[in-house]
Amino acid sequence: LYLQRWTHDVEVLYRAQFIHHYPMSSCSVNWTDRPGSKLLMESNNDDSSDRYYNTRQVIQVSMTMLWEIIQMRWIYAITDR
């Protein structure tokens, strides 16, 4: 595996489906946010600076994930896997 961060699971699924041709299907997941999460989606209080920080963090992580997926596709394209 090439990716080690936020998109590690995306690479695992990519390899399973497109390289090894394992059958895939989707299913619903009941998600519960827990204390200690690495990504804060909500502010703990009404302070606008907390909301700004949380929104900025979500955007930053989203851009990082997009960049890592682009890198993954490029790596697999040039290695012809």
Side-chain angles (χ1 to χ4, degrees):
L1 296 176
Y2 295 103
L3 304 176
Q4 306 288 319
R5 296 174 48 176
W6 292 96
T7 51
H8 175 265
D9 52 345
V10 174
E11 184 177 11
V12 169
L13 292 172
Y14 180 84
R15 289 178 65 130
Q17 187 170 17
F18 294 106
I19 296 174
H20 300 294
H21 306 290
Y22 292 130
M24 299 267 172
S25 64
S26 23
C27 64
S28 62
V29 175
N30 293 326
W31 180 262
T32 304
D33 203 11
R34 296 189 174 176
S37 174
K38 294 179 183 176
L39 183 61
L40 301 173
M41 297 298 288
E42 297 179 359
S43 175
N44 293 333
N45 56 41
D46 291 335
D47 185 8
S48 63
S49 64
D50 279 352
R51 284 195 300 273
Y52 170 75
Y53 174 76
N54 294 340
T55 302
R56 195 171 133 238
Q57 185 185 25
V58 169
I59 292 169
Q60 190 174 22
V61 168
S62 298
M63 295 305 292
T64 300
M65 289 178 71
L66 175 62
W67 176 244
E68 289 178 358
I69 291 171
I70 291 169
Q71 287 176 312
M72 180 194 74
R73 295 297 304 263
W74 184 74
I75 289 168
Y76 284 105
I78 64 169
T79 59
D80 197 31
R81 290 187 179 192

